Amino acid sequence: MIKRGKEEFAGYNKPKRTPGHPTKSHVVLAKDGDEVKLIRFGQQGVQGSPDGTARNEAFKARHAKNIAKGKMSAAYWSNKIKW
């Protein structure tokens, strides 16, 4: 277990749900090389859409540049977990 502030994590790059957070649905302790960053992502109460739907494609197009930044961006994790 890794503890960061009040949060406990199973490990680096392992997202978990945050049902008690007022706005964000997930959190992950992202690690890329020596850099470690706490990232909150996803809107509480919103679900993604199946691959190939117009809503899914619109999300991926709108956030493509940020998804490409990799593990240290919220868009990457949102794309991986929710969309």
Side-chain angles (χ1 to χ4, degrees):
M1 285 299 226
I2 301 169
K3 191 164 179 147
R4 174 100 183 235
K6 296 178 185 176
E7 303 274 352
E8 285 190 12
F9 297 89
Y12 295 112
N13 300 324
K14 296 187 180 199
K16 70 176 192 173
R17 292 202 41 91
T18 55
H21 195 273
T23 57
K24 298 300 179 185
S25 64
H26 291 77
V27 65
V28 64
L29 191 59
K31 183 174 182 177
D32 191 16
D34 290 339
E35 186 180 3
V36 177
K37 186 176 179 182
L38 180 69
I39 300 174
R40 293 187 186 279
F41 64 95
Q43 186 178 350
Q44 201 65 272
V46 175
Q47 291 181 329
S49 294
D51 283 344
T53 61
R55 188 168 168 243
N56 177 276
E57 295 301 322
F59 174 86
K60 290 178 185 290
R62 186 169 60 249
H63 297 286
K65 284 185 181 179
N66 291 324
I67 292 169
K69 290 179 182 177
K71 293 184 219 178
M72 302 309 271
S73 74
Y76 171 86
W77 290 104
S78 190
N79 179 56
K80 185 173 179 176
I81 303 304
K82 295 194 87 161
W83 294 89

